[in-house]
């Protein structure tokens, strides 16, 4: 499937919109508000960029022209990692990103994307919407003049692509790996050298040998990145992003100037895309994993228990360090840990227990 066919299949009607052009809406109403959205992913980028474009188009559609949306992919207006400052300063009205990119500004941001040994999509959704997560997100974002919402999730991620087999924790020492967020901190504690790169720069660095390994998302997203051309060992499961939450961050002053109706529409559009992205990912991961293995000779490997135990010890150190940062950070991660315990305990005797027994009875392989 070529990129253009993929975009059409994804159901996006605006994938080919020129950089910075306004998205089509049924009508342009008086009192229109401009909404410039900047993204951390390239235009028409499978799995992440396309949902961002889809959300931008949906806001324009649902507000019937009251909000005049202009969408800029990474590099079209500002660099991928400059999007936070662009919105916090008011130069743009919103960004679409993974908020753990900003953990250098405050470690609490990591909790609202992914924490090693953290929450799955189901658990994250429950925490944010009914476990106090949104209120803590509001408190953190408010310190930077932002208002944030969940707008997509990619579920449990793969452990990554490696150019050699990883048979023990010692094999990670000296490894140059693209892995952002607290997952990168875990790898650093195990002797690896974590590198943070925007999605559009990973392939070239892997092919050139500038990095030895990379994580990205999962088979659906990774297939189109062509990582299999440079690394054939594909490890699972990823401890670093068990339910990677994507976010729309909105300039708070601009948000406060919207009508209650338009605020509700934007929040509803984010909720809709949050569910769509997860469904799209789950529908496609198995299909593309099979293609990676059968068409490109990718070798699937599972991290052994020794490696996962080492991940766990390092992850606990990283979490404790993040909690020590400030009172707010401690409050965020204590709430996160409580959700992991309470919701996770229920998941253990519901979704997890059922899936394990169903798959055993029906012979569904790993």
């Amino acid at each position: 499937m070529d990129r253009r066919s993929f975009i059409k299949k994804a159901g996006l009607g605006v994938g080919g919109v020129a950089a910075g052009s306004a998205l089509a809406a049924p009508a342009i109403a008086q009192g229109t508000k401009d909404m410039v959205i900047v993204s951390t992913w390239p235009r028409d980028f499978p799995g992440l960029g396309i949902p961002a474009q889809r959300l931008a188009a949906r806001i324009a559609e649902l507000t019937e022209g009251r909000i005049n949306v202009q969408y800029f992919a990474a590099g079209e207006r500002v660099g991928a990692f400059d999007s936070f400052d662009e919105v916090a300063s008011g130069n743009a009205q919103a960004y679409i990103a993974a908020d753990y990119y900003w953990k250098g500004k405050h470690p609490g941001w990591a909790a609202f994307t992914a924490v090693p040994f953290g929450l799955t999509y189901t658990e994250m959704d429950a925490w944010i919407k009914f476990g106090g997560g949104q209120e803590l997100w509001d408190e953190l974002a408010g310190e930077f003049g932002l208002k944030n919402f969940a707008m997509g999730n990619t579920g449990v991620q793969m452990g990554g692509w490696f150019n050699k087999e990883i048979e023990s924790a010692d094999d990670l020492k000296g490894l140059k790996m693209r892995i952002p967020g607290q997952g990168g901190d875990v790898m650093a504690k195990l002797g690896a050298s974590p590198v943070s790169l925007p999605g559009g720069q990973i392939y070239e660095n892997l092919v050139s040998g500038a990095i030895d390994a990379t994580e990205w998302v999962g088979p659906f997203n990774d297939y189109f990145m062509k990582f299999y051309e440079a690394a054939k060992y594909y490890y699972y499961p990823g401890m670093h992003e068990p339910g990677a939450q994507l976010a729309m961050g909105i300039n708070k002053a601009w948000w406060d100037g919207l009508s209650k109706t338009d605020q509700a529409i934007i929040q509803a559009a984010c909720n809709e895309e949050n569910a769509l992205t997860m469904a799209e990912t789950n529908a496609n991961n198995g299909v593309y994993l099979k293609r990676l293995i059968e068409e490109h000779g990718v070798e699937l490997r599972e991290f052994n228990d020794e490696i996962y135990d080492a991940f766990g010890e390092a992850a606990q150190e990283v979490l404790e360090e993040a909690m020590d940062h400030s009172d707010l950070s401690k409050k965020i991660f204590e709430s996160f840990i409580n959700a992991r315990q309470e919701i996770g305990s229920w998941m253990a005797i519901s979704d997890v227990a059922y899936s394990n027994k169903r798959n055993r009875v029906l012979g569904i392989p790993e």
Side-chain angles (χ1 to χ4, degrees), residues 192-238:
S193 298
V195 178
S196 187
L197 292 168
Q201 297 177 20
I202 302 174
Y203 174 82
E204 61 192 64
N205 279 272
L206 190 61
V207 168
S208 71
I211 57 175
D212 306 307
T214 185
E215 61 78 47
W216 184 232
V217 182
F220 173 49
N221 303 71
D222 295 8
Y223 181 87
F224 295 94
M225 298 288 277
K226 297 187 176 180
F227 294 142
Y228 53 80
E229 294 182 352
K232 72 174 183 177
Y233 297 108
Y234 198 25
Y235 275 84
Y236 76 96

Side-chain angles (χ1 to χ4, degrees), residues 255-282:
W255 170 261
D256 288 343
L258 295 177
S259 68
K260 296 297 183 185
T261 297
D262 285 343
Q263 287 182 347
I265 286 172
I266 290 174
Q267 185 171 5
C270 287
N271 285 338
E272 178 184 61
E273 187 55 49
N274 197 55
L276 280 175
T277 301
M278 187 70 261
E280 185 176 42
T281 301
N282 281 333

Side-chain angles (χ1 to χ4, degrees), residues 142-162:
E143 292 192 356
F144 296 87
L146 298 169
K147 168 69 176 177
N148 290 46
F149 293 112
M151 58 69 55
N153 199 297
T154 53
V156 179
Q157 295 195 359
M158 293 292 284
W161 296 84
F162 296 80

Side-chain angles (χ1 to χ4, degrees), residues 7 11 62 94 109 115 134 143 147 157 192 213 221 244 255 310 319 338:
I7 294 163
L62 291 176
W109 286 113
V115 170
Q134 184 67 59
E143 292 192 356
K147 168 69 176 177
Q157 295 195 359
N221 303 71
W255 170 261
L319 183 60
N338 183 64

Side-chain angles (χ1 to χ4, degrees), residues 54-75:
R54 190 162 57 202
L55 175 58
R58 188 66 167 152
I59 291 170
E61 176 187 13
L62 291 176
T63 59
E64 298 184 319
R66 289 188 304 277
I67 297 180
N68 180 37
V69 179
Q70 289 183 290
Y71 176 87
F72 294 87

Side-chain angles (χ1 to χ4, degrees), residues 81 84-85 88 101-109 140 144 325:
F81 293 157
F84 182 100
D85 291 339
Y101 291 152
W102 329 129
K103 77 178 184 69
K105 297 178 183 293
H106 192 291
W109 286 113
L140 174 61
F144 296 87
H325 174 270

